[in-house]
Amino acid sequence: MLSTMEVIYIFLIAGEMTIGIWGNGFIALVNCTRWLRRRDISVIDIILVILAISRICLLCVISLDGFILLLSPDIYANSELTNIVDAVWTFSNHSSICFTSCLSIFYLLKIANISHPFFLWLKLKINRVILGMFLMSFLTCIIISVSLNEDFWDPFKVNHKENITWEFKVSKIPSAFKLVILNLGAIVPFVLCLISVLLLLFSLFRHTRQMKLYATGSGDPSTEAHTRAIKTVMIFLLLFIIYYAVSLVVTSSFLIPHGKLVVMFGGVVVGIFPSSHSFILIMGNSKLRGAFLKVLRIVKGFHKRRKPFVP
């Protein structure tokens, strides 16, 4: 019998998975449809599609892990299934962080106004730089996920057999330790993303301050647009930092007392970023925003047609 807290947890992760799959699926669908129609797709569109797919996988793994945790915890005794879940989690988590880093660097090079020679050179080579980072990130994710194979971790294996419980998980410590070490491997793209976002914020703040000095009125559209962009970037930065920090805590939960509560709370918090960021991307991209508003108009019109006539 599930407790009230566990029922709420299941509803929350199911809701996050539904919202996240809808938002990220919309991003992938719009970009793929555009490519099929025009036979032309940019590097940034490719990154958006792969990022959306990786986040859909991540949300599915988080939800699956949550359902198994509450409904059938004995499945964790199956080491093969655990290894598969760990590998998919690590690949999708690293992919999400790496491609988010590529995306933030792209926006930095595209939007920021920095006069440093190295930055100007990167700006001229933006497509090559982003494509190179994309390929390196993808290969790194594959290598790290493959290294989750049990044969690679023979020195950490424990040969004893015992029932797995949340109070005594000695047999899971190697797996938790392995995941913590591997997830720390994402710290490089995480730091790169932080640096690029902070530089973008610095550029936006400086440009906004200059615009306010020369603005003709308090309601200048350009100044307001920059202010909205700053708020959006700050929200993204906060969500991204929380996501990375909590994901590390969740992967080390087997080493923490009351690990079940940690996983439940962490799973809900971790799911917020890949679910909500998709809509931040949709609203910040003119092509995606236009397609999204068009869908809303179609849904609204359909709803009006189905509304019963009341004399």
Side-chain angles (χ1 to χ4, degrees), residues 298-309:
I298 293 173
V299 172
K300 187 177 179 179
F302 179 75
H303 178 71
K304 284 183 177 180
R305 287 196 299 270
R306 297 228 13 202
K307 189 174 180 180
F309 174 72

Side-chain angles (χ1 to χ4, degrees), residues 17 24 33 67 69 80 105 109 114 124 128 135 156 196 203 205 230 259 297 306:
M17 182 180 67
N24 288 289
T33 303
F67 291 138
L69 167 65
E80 292 183 4
I105 292 173
L109 297 176
I114 301 174
L124 291 173
R128 292 184 180 181
L135 293 175
F156 298 100
S196 59
S203 178
F205 271 120
I230 290 172
R297 285 194 297 269
R306 297 228 13 202

Side-chain angles (χ1 to χ4, degrees), residues 197-238:
V197 171
L198 290 174
L199 286 174
L200 179 58
L201 277 174
F202 169 76
S203 178
L204 287 172
F205 271 120
R206 186 179 61 180
H207 195 200
T208 303
R209 187 169 60 249
Q210 292 174 351
M211 292 175 68
K212 285 181 179 180
L213 292 175
Y214 300 101
T216 56
S218 58
D220 181 63
S222 299
T223 304
E224 291 181 354
H226 276 69
T227 303
R228 286 196 301 269
I230 290 172
K231 291 179 181 178
T232 302
V233 173
M234 291 182 70
I235 292 172
F236 160 78
L237 183 61
L238 178 63

